[in-house]
Amino acid sequence: MEDIVKLARQFYEDEYSDSVLYAQLARTEQDEKLREEFLRLSHIESKHAKFWHDFLLRRGVEVPKVKVGKMKLFAVKTLRRILGPGAVASLLEMGENSAIQKYFKFLTGYELGKDEKEEISKVILDELEHERFFYESKKRFHVENIRDFVLGMNDGLVEILGAVTGLSAVYMYNPRIVGISGLIVGVAGALSMAIGSFISVRSQRQVNESLKQRMEVLFRVSPERAKDELMGKLLESGMPKEIAEEAAEKLSTKEEALIKLLIHEEDENEIRAALYTGLAYLMGVAFPVLPYFIATSSLRALPFSVLLAGTALAVVATMISILSGISIRKKVFEMVSTGLGAAFVSYLFGRLMEAIFNISAI
């Protein structure tokens, strides 16, 4: 009984907070379709909160007064302004997926009345529909380019932090050389990352186009062969043979549907991907390099460089977690520890090179 009440209280607070969050987002959202959806979601979450409110009252439990977290509201609105609606959709999708898992465990793990089970099942269906909407919104607002930006910035931070840290051990009293060297390496890295992203996205699109043309030819020359390829794909996915045969037979006359099923096409622009990645890499370069143009020695610049880069890494880790739906705490620890660990190893290597070649004396 105690566990049920505790979870129901948490569900009530979450649903109430979400209804307020969606209402607040609707007030400031400029995209008309997204604004209407936020208002609709706010109404549905309010209905869910009412269910949990009544659920608690039926058990003679006092319903808590909910304090909506202003920090969360501020964070989501800020993310919307900086990274756009795609990032917000990704964040909210993560929250909906978490709610679905919690409700399902509650539904299957506790003794509930028949009507309550039906109502919770309806709540789960609503949450699944929310998740689908946010998934479609991510595609609509090109969230893959936000991911390009975040990952590009992460690469710039880690690589250039390692470079300037290693150089600090060599040019301890000449921070300007360290800063300039970091910029040179950073610009070269940004160009390399941008070109790599361009080639990767373009190549994948060209491969898909080639496969599509092949399937179009195959469909016209030998529809049976195209049907056999679909059969193989369905069987590989684990579909029973009888169902696969029936599906392949029905789709064999639908050329466009068959091609879409066999070929996964990405609607990603290679030029946009290259620009996001390259510019983000340069932004990442700025954090560890900047202190070397201000400080009087590399050893004084080094702690500020590490501090700035570590803070930026924590922010990037948070963005990656939001976009990927993984634990923020674990990702921040992972990225900051590995990034700073790489910097420490680079510093030791720089000291080794300085000791062997006595570069600072040259």
Side-chain angles (χ1 to χ4, degrees), residues 16-35:
Y16 185 90
S17 297
D18 285 347
S19 70
V20 174
L21 173 63
Y22 291 137
Q24 290 283 343
L25 286 172
R27 291 178 189 174
T28 56
E29 182 55 55
Q30 296 179 349
D31 184 271
E32 185 176 349
K33 184 177 179 181
L34 205 54
R35 182 172 64 251

Side-chain angles (χ1 to χ4, degrees), residues 11 17 31 45 100 155 189 210 213 217-218 222 239 311:
F11 293 153
S17 297
D31 184 271
E45 300 292 40
I100 291 165
D155 286 343
S210 177
Q213 290 170 1
V217 171
L218 182 61
S222 177
M239 185 178 291
T311 303

Side-chain angles (χ1 to χ4, degrees), residues 328-352:
I328 293 177
R329 184 179 299 176
K330 288 181 180 178
K331 195 63 184 176
V332 168
F333 176 78
E334 174 191 314
M335 287 186 60
V336 173
S337 61
T338 53
L340 298 186
F344 179 69
V345 172
S346 299
Y347 180 80
L348 293 179
F349 184 73
R351 291 291 303 219
L352 177 63

Side-chain angles (χ1 to χ4, degrees), residues 160 180-194 278 281-282 285:
I160 303 306
I180 292 171
S181 300
L183 279 179
I184 293 171
V185 174
V187 170
L191 290 172
S192 175
M193 289 287 291
Y281 190 99
L282 284 177
V285 168

Side-chain angles (χ1 to χ4, degrees), residues 110-128:
Y110 294 96
E111 290 291 332
L112 302 167
K114 183 180 177 182
D115 291 342
E116 289 176 338
K117 284 186 176 182
E118 289 179 359
E119 286 299 319
I120 295 172
S121 295
K122 290 178 183 177
V123 170
I124 291 174
L125 289 174
D126 284 339
E127 300 294 345
L128 285 168

